[in-house]
Amino acid sequence: MKNFHLEFQNFLNKLKAKENFAFIRFSDGELFIMQNKKVVLAENHYITGNVSGRNKYTKEEQKEFIPGRDEFYREKLLESFQHRQKNYFKGICTATDAHVGRQNFLWQLKVHGPGDYEHLTFANVLINANYRRFVEELVPILKDREVIYIVNELADLSGLPFKIKKDFRIGSNCMINNYDVVDQVREYIKENNIKDHVILCSAASLSNYVIHQCYQENSSNTFLDIGSCLNPYLKLEGWKYTRGYLTHYWMNSGSPFGNQVDTW
C-alpha cells in the first residue's frame, strides 16, 4: 500500500536534494484515452466515453480525443505509461478519484504489467490534501532552481514567485495540435546542454509525451507534470469552474477536494 502524504514527501525530498527524477500523471483523461474512449472538453460540455454533461471549460482547458482518428496519440500515451526507468515515476488514478472506481484502477495495473511497482504513485500526489504543501513547501524550492516551463499561450508568467529561464507555449488541444513541442524541448535540452534544471509541464497529455521522451533521452534534469497547480498565479480563469482543490485553497470554497486524501 502507498501513502498519499509520504509519496509527496518523497518527491519533496528529491527536489531538496537536487536528485533528478521524472513525475508523469495519468489522470482520468489519460485513463480514458488509453482505454480508447472519446474525450471532449468543450466550451460548455464534456464527453468521456458514454458519459456526458454540462460544464464550463475555458480555452486553455479545451481538448478532444476521437478514437481511431487519434490512434497515434493513444499509442504514444501507452508507451509513456509502460516505460520503465530509474526515477521515472508514473502517477495513476485510484478508486478515490471521481469517475474512476476500483475496476479502472485495476485496469491500469494490468495494462502497466507486473514489476516496477516502486515507480507507481498517485496521479493526484501534488493536489487535493497535498496541495497546500505544494504551494507552501515545493514552490519555494523553485526559487533557487533554473526552471523551464511548458505552458498555455494564454498564461501570464509575471505573477509566478520564481523565475522562468525558458518557456514553450502551447494552445488548446495541445496533445494533438502541439505535438511538435516534444521535439522542440528535446532539441533545446540537447543543443544547450541543459542539466539539473526543473522542467515543469502544464500541457495536458502533451506533458506525458514531453516527459517520457525527454527523460528517456536525458535523465540529468527533473521533470514535473504539475497540471493546473500554478494556474492561479497565471491569470487564467478556467480553474475556478473545474478545480475544487484550487478553489479550496485560493478561494476558501469549502470544496471537499481540498481535504481529500487519496488511498491506494
Side-chain angles (χ1 to χ4, degrees), residues 10 22 32 69 100 107 143 155 157 160 171 187 228 235 238 251-252 262:
N10 176 48
F32 297 138
R69 185 194 73 181
V100 175
W107 182 90
K143 295 178 181 179
L157 304 184
L160 287 172
E187 291 168 6
S228 304
K235 298 181 181 178
M251 300 173 67
N252 197 28
D262 289 35

Side-chain angles (χ1 to χ4, degrees), residues 63-193:
K63 63 182 177 182
E64 178 180 89
F65 169 81
I66 306 300
R69 185 194 73 181
D70 300 327
E71 176 62 18
F72 170 83
Y73 304 99
R74 187 180 81 92
E75 291 176 358
K76 289 298 179 183
L77 196 60
L78 283 165
E79 287 177 16
S80 69
F81 183 52
Q82 294 171 330
H83 178 68
R84 302 181 181 205
Q85 185 177 350
K86 181 182 178 182
N87 274 347
Y88 179 85
F89 295 91
K90 293 156 283 190
I92 65 174
C93 298
T94 68
T96 318
D97 290 295
H99 313 304
V100 175
R102 185 157 184 80
Q103 184 176 353
N104 281 325
F105 171 63
L106 296 176
W107 182 90
Q108 292 167 102
L109 295 179
K110 181 179 179 180
V111 171
H112 179 266
D116 204 41
Y117 186 73
E118 68 274 17
H119 286 109
L120 291 179
T121 186
F122 299 89
N124 293 336
V125 69
L126 302 181
I127 65 173
N128 295 345
N130 284 335
Y131 183 68
R132 180 174 296 277
R133 296 190 65 196
F134 173 86
V135 173
E136 298 174 7
E137 298 180 49
L138 192 153
V139 168
I141 294 174
L142 301 178
K143 295 178 181 179
D144 299 319
R145 301 295 300 271
E146 292 189 285
V147 179
I148 296 169
Y149 198 9
I150 297 94
V151 65
N152 192 272
E153 61 192 0
L154 300 177
D156 182 346
L157 304 184
S158 64
L160 287 172
F162 53 86
K163 294 181 179 180
I164 300 297
K165 177 177 180 178
K166 169 72 175 177
D167 60 286
F168 294 86
R169 296 304 184 119
I170 48 91
S172 299
N173 205 27
C174 60
M175 67 171 282
I176 294 172
N177 295 339
N178 298 115
Y179 187 78
D180 60 310
V181 170
V182 177
D183 283 337
Q184 291 178 27
V185 177
R186 288 173 60 192
E187 291 168 6
Y188 177 81
I189 291 172
K190 185 176 181 178
E191 291 174 1
N192 295 279
N193 193 30

Side-chain angles (χ1 to χ4, degrees), residues 9-58:
Q9 188 64 49
N10 176 48
F11 293 138
L12 191 67
N13 290 343
K14 289 181 183 297
L15 280 169
K16 288 179 177 179
K18 297 186 178 181
E19 176 186 354
N20 289 314
F21 67 95
F23 168 64
I24 186 170
R25 299 166 57 247
F26 295 85
S27 300
D28 54 356
E30 285 72 40
L31 166 65
F32 297 138
I33 290 171
M34 289 194 293
Q35 292 178 331
N36 209 27
K37 295 179 179 179
K38 184 177 182 179
V39 175
V40 176
L41 298 185
E43 184 177 0
N44 56 13
H45 72 278
Y46 68 89
I47 302 172
T48 53
N50 296 323
V51 179
S52 62
R54 308 288 294 182
N55 208 343
K56 182 173 182 177
Y57 297 95
T58 50

Side-chain angles (χ1 to χ4, degrees), residues 3-8 122 124-125 127 130 260-262:
N3 180 283
F4 192 59
H5 297 302
L6 292 180
E7 291 292 302
F8 178 88
F122 299 89
N124 293 336
V125 69
I127 65 173
N130 284 335
Q260 179 176 299
V261 177
D262 289 35

